[in-house]
């Protein structure tokens, strides 16, 4: 069973008005359990819109979006996925632990169970010693690790990520990429990740989905088989070959 199954999805904003925008057209996409999918394409092509369709933050104009073999809206109500965005979105009046506990609190978990799960997640993202700190006391990369821990706290089978490392400096970004891959391997969560960076897309993904300019369509699916990623991967000729393949696909859709 696919984790995500999208068939013929379109999205039109402000239909029938003078400011109508056709954001997505004829989207067909299937994502299997355990995949790490990256969406990449020109600015304004609808990458984030597609992610929001999957997350049922917006509804398709036509077509269907299913998550775990159910409508995306039902999957959202069933809390089948976690989300992480470019800004960590943490509450500074809550400690790191309390931020991670928030979705569990909303789900009615007991105080003891919330505290134990938050401790497990802090260990997963290697921030146990910062449990009692507040977000303003953490670096940007550390805040994003807390946001990822919060998104995964209730063990969702799917994690949606919209340029979560876009605001980080290059070295912190590379470190966070490695941390995300480690967490992905340890949890087995399926990931859909939006980025503008070709090297980031190739480094992280099992598959890169290249989108065309608006109205966004899926122009190509590029499999990435580079094995376990590490610092040496970035210097591997096979890595540069795959980066070139993605870049060439992007150039074609922009011609």
């Amino acid at each position: 069973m696919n984790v995500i199954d999208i068939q013929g999805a379109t999205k039109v904003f402000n239909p029938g008005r003078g400011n109508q925008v056709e954001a997505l057209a004829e989207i067909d996409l299937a994502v299997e359990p355990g995949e790490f999918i990256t969406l990449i394409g020109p600015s304004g092509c609808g990458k984030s819109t597609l992610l929001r369709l999957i997350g049922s933050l917006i509804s398709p104009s036509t077509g269907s979006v299913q998550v775990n073999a159910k409508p995306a809206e039902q999957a959202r109500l069933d809390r089948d996925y976690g989300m992480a965005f470019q800004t960590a979105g943490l509450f500074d009046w809550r400690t790191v632990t309390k931020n991670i506990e928030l979705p569990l609190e909303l789900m009615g978990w007991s105080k003891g169970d919330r505290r134990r799960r938050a401790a497990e997640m802090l260990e997963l993202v290697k921030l146990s010693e910062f449990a009692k700190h507040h977000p303003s006391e953490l670096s940007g990369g550390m805040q994003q690790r807390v946001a990822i821990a919060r998104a995964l706290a209730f063990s969702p089978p799917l994690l949606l990520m919209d340029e979560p490392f876009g605001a980080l400096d290059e070295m912190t970004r590379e470190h966070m990429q490695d941390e995300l891959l480690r967490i992905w391997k340890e949890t087995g969560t399926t990931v859909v990740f939006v980025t503008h960076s070709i090297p980031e897309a190739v480094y992280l993904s099992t598959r890169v989905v290249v989108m065309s300019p608006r109205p966004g369509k899926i122009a190509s699916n590029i499999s990435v088989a580079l094995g376990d990623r590490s610092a040496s991967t970035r210097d591997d000729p096979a890595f540069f070959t795959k980066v070139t393949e993605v870049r060439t696909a992007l150039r074609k859709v922009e011609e």
Side-chain angles (χ1 to χ4, degrees), residues 152-206:
L152 293 173
F154 51 95
S155 301
L158 175 62
L159 180 60
L160 306 178
M161 310 188 78
D162 194 353
E163 297 192 75
F165 309 145
L168 303 179
D169 65 82
E170 192 64 25
M171 294 306 295
T172 302
R173 187 169 185 159
E174 289 186 1
H175 174 69
M176 287 301 301
Q177 290 166 3
D178 289 332
E179 285 295 293
L180 177 58
L181 286 176
R182 177 183 62 80
I183 293 167
W184 171 61
K185 290 177 185 177
E186 291 185 19
T187 61
T189 303
T190 305
V191 179
V192 180
F193 188 101
V194 169
T195 183
H196 281 100
S197 168
I198 298 172
E200 180 171 72
V202 171
Y203 187 75
L204 289 174
S205 307
T206 59

Side-chain angles (χ1 to χ4, degrees), residues 47-120:
K47 301 182 294 295
S48 295
T49 299
L50 179 54
L51 197 74
R52 283 162 170 73
L53 284 182
I54 297 169
S56 189
L57 298 178
I58 57 176
S59 300
S61 300
T62 61
S64 65
V65 180
Q66 291 202 321
V67 176
N68 289 335
K70 62 186 102 170
E73 182 179 6
Q74 186 60 51
R76 175 174 55 80
L77 295 173
D78 292 344
R79 297 182 175 90
D80 283 357
Y81 42 71
M83 297 184 183
F85 300 97
Q86 186 167 352
T87 55
L90 305 176
F91 297 109
D92 200 49
W93 60 89
R94 297 178 72 110
T95 64
V96 164
T97 292
K98 289 291 188 180
N99 268 281
I100 295 172
E101 287 183 9
L102 182 58
L104 308 179
E105 186 178 330
L106 296 173
M107 294 168 69
W109 287 39
S110 70
K111 183 176 180 179
D113 287 344
R114 295 198 308 264
R115 192 57 52 91
R116 281 189 289 273
R117 183 57 175 166
E120 292 172 359

Side-chain angles (χ1 to χ4, degrees), residues 219-252:
S220 58
N221 282 272
I222 299 175
S223 296
V224 182
L226 295 174
D228 289 338
R229 316 297 156 88
S230 66
S232 62
T233 301
R234 303 181 197 278
D235 298 320
D236 191 325
F239 174 75
F240 290 107
T241 297
K242 193 58 66 171
V243 166
T244 300
E245 183 179 350
V246 174
R247 181 174 290 113
T248 299
L250 281 168
R251 285 174 177 165
K252 286 182 179 179

Side-chain angles (χ1 to χ4, degrees), residues 123-134:
E123 184 175 353
L124 178 68
V125 298
K126 298 182 178 179
L127 287 174
S128 296
E129 65 270 34
F130 295 94
K132 296 182 180 180
H133 286 63
H134 288 79

